[in-house]
Amino acid sequence: MDIKVTTKRSLLALSVISAISATAAVAEEAAVEVPDEIEEVTVIGRSVSYANNATDEPMLKQQASLTSVLAAVDNLPGVLINEGDTFGSDDWSTSISIRGFQVDLSQQQIGITVDGIANGNSNYGGGAKANRYIDTENLRAVEVSQGTADIASRSNEALGGTLNFTTINPGVDEQLVVSGTTGDFGAQKLYMRLETGEIAPNTYAWMSLSSQNNNDWMDGVGEANRDHYAAKIVSYLDDMDITAYMSYDDTHEDNYQRIYGLSQFQQNPEWDQLTSDWSGIPYVDQSYRRGWSTLRENWFAYLEANMTFGAVDVKANAYYHDNQGRGDWIPPYVVDVTDDGTNGHSELVHGNTAMGGSVLGQIFFVDANGMSLSPQAGCVSSLTFPYGGGGAQYDPACYPDSAIPVSSYRHTNYKKQRSGINIDAVWTTLIGDMENTVRGGLWYEDYNREETRSWQKIIDSTVGYEFDHVPYWIQYSREFPVETLMFYVEDELDLNVAKIRLGAKQFNVDVEKKDRFNSANNLAVSSDSDVLLSAGVVAPLPVEGVEVFAGYAENYAAIKDVVLERDDADLSKVEPETAENIDVGIRYAMPGLNASLTYYSISFENRIRFVSNEDVSGIDFLESAAGGYINDGGIESDGIELAVDYQVTESLGLYVSYTHNSSEYTDEGSEGVQVIGTPEDMAVISLDYQHDIYSAGLSTKYVGERSAGSFTVDAYSVSDFYLGATLEQPVSGIEQIDVRLTINNLMDESYLGTIATGAAWIGAPRTTALNLKAVF
């Protein structure tokens, strides 16, 4: 494995780790009081000057253990999560939407962190969302900061807020947790976690492993397999807490595909136009589901220390992340890249690999000598699927009976290594009788992303999609070094009648492209931000439990390395994206009732989008459509978010959220047009029952109409239901047994989920899962 690490990064990371280790070594091993409950209490609506929410236990129960951690936040106000199936086992069809900002195949405008540490981008090609870092059973809570967010948030994608996924801390008692889940569509998961108890003075740890798999819900041919290992250790020393976390995730996902237009959905709302059988006709088999795949390996680790030096609290961590994988497609031809004259095409012979070069043509059918054939003159193709059919060059009926079809298995190979450090300091003192808190910190990260595209020949296109593992062509190979430095400072003064804060932060981001075949294609851009200001106020009202708040923040997203991918990129036309966010709201917090109401206004400028010079039908496997990225207008959003969490009785809880959002483009020619994929209205109502050993819950989410550009997607409502029981010490040697039935999309609603321009993915049908968990 090649790991490129700059000297600056190595020294910074090494110095922080050394400082943590040295401080730990000299810390007194005096008796430290360890709380009986190491887990923090999750609160919906913290007392800060910006809108925020967090998941609670009932929200986690509404999702099966097979489900991705992303689904846990779907009921929070302003948030919409769509995935290709209930289990979230397809990154290709996954999207996140908050206040008009998106994370999907073409946009990354929402920050994601793991225990406060940057996730390293959320894009499909080389990125990793939170489900690559955290197993569902290891999720403590998800903290959502819509809009203005916390100034210390570690993300250069957080135009529309941040999702912080946090892991559980080790328990104080030695335990073994074993969980088994079975569900529809061949779904199975086995999970085990060992809680070590106290393994050293005031030191606790857990280790977990899981393995899960399921088939696609449409025809059962596609597979999703995932293995996940993780461990965490926490040591409570005198004036210091040390935490270390490690996770490894290995995933193979066969994809779902988008459908184009409502007519395909109306014709068959249970089919995405991918096929389950290999036909032996390359043009048809480009849609073979098993050939649409996402493979990813992620290894992630961090070491963190929380220390106190007099009146100053310091948190420092160092982290490392390694990401590898590929994305697969099946082009219905072999690319001719070598002029072989009359000797037969070398691309068809095992062991020949061309590096770079130009495309000479495409090979569809060959004779027994490996020479390319042309379709018979005047032949009209009878192929009608996919993409409305192909020309005569694709149709075997337009060739002699002895013609041999050929096709490719195209891999886009991804690698990324990144490491970084975070340092935060908080100094609290008094100015007169007023408490004053100064915060400051920095985030440094250096990563190197590699991308290579290889074309493998399908060994026998008449039989199946097995491919030659030695590529016949490496189309390109390039790397993208990116260096990020963020630093911030904030002051908060408690005036006794209100808390006011003022802060500033700045990003320095350098992005490069290094072409391994042609250095003339190398590119570099500095994507530094201006000084980004933030301010806020929180003030209690005379009514007990009521406070008002207001916040302002300037957010920023760096120019991403994907903008540099094309050799014809004109970087003079691209600037970093920016957003100005304003939150104004009121909160009520008393035992049994928490409520918040927020009005927000957002101005998003310099939106980066890709403009193509061609209209290519179907998939352009060679990416021959030249074009580039430009800043084109932006988005104006405003709306309200309401959340109410009410304990009706000791046994019954009620949660309600409502969002009204107006997000419109300001692009030239699209002014006033609704942002694609963003609903104007969303609402959630959830009832959760807990009495004695029994628990149950029913949640329903309404999502209003959304635009897909050329058509409008209907509103839909989806309900989730769970029913469970917990037995304490049912037999000797078992501390607890928990059984839970989860049914997602209870009413089997037919709907469209993730939206793209002119297309959409079909939403998952009713899905049932049964989980049995035992604690020893």
Side-chain angles (χ1 to χ4, degrees), residues 715-719 745-752 763-766:
Y716 69 89
S717 296
V718 172
S719 298
N745 194 359
L746 179 66
M747 305 303 176
D748 204 18
E749 175 88 348
S750 181
Y751 67 99
L752 291 173
R766 179 170 52 230

Side-chain angles (χ1 to χ4, degrees), residues 279-309:
S279 70
I281 302 173
Y283 187 80
V284 175
D285 292 332
Q286 67 177 307
S287 293
Y288 181 58
R289 190 180 303 279
R290 293 298 306 276
W292 287 57
S293 298
T294 299
L295 289 75
R296 295 291 187 274
E297 278 187 272
N298 284 274
W299 190 90
F300 172 71
Y302 71 79
L303 175 65
E304 179 176 283
N306 287 270
M307 301 159 280
T308 300
F309 300 99

Side-chain angles (χ1 to χ4, degrees), residues 282 331-338 340 343-354 361-373 403-409 455-461 467-473:
Y333 50 78
V334 168
V335 185
D336 186 3
V337 292
T338 302
D340 299 298
N343 297 322
H345 290 289
S346 60
E347 294 85 358
L348 307 180
V349 180
H350 168 75
N352 295 326
T353 302
Q362 297 164 339
I363 308 166
F364 303 96
F365 289 82
V366 297
D367 60 20
N369 296 317
M371 297 297 296
S372 180
L373 299 175
I404 302 169
V406 294
S407 55
S408 301
Y409 204 65
W455 292 69
Q456 271 82 359
K457 178 184 177 294
I458 297 290
I459 294 174
D460 188 340
S461 295
F467 60 92
D468 188 335
H469 285 238
V470 177
Y472 67 83
W473 182 36

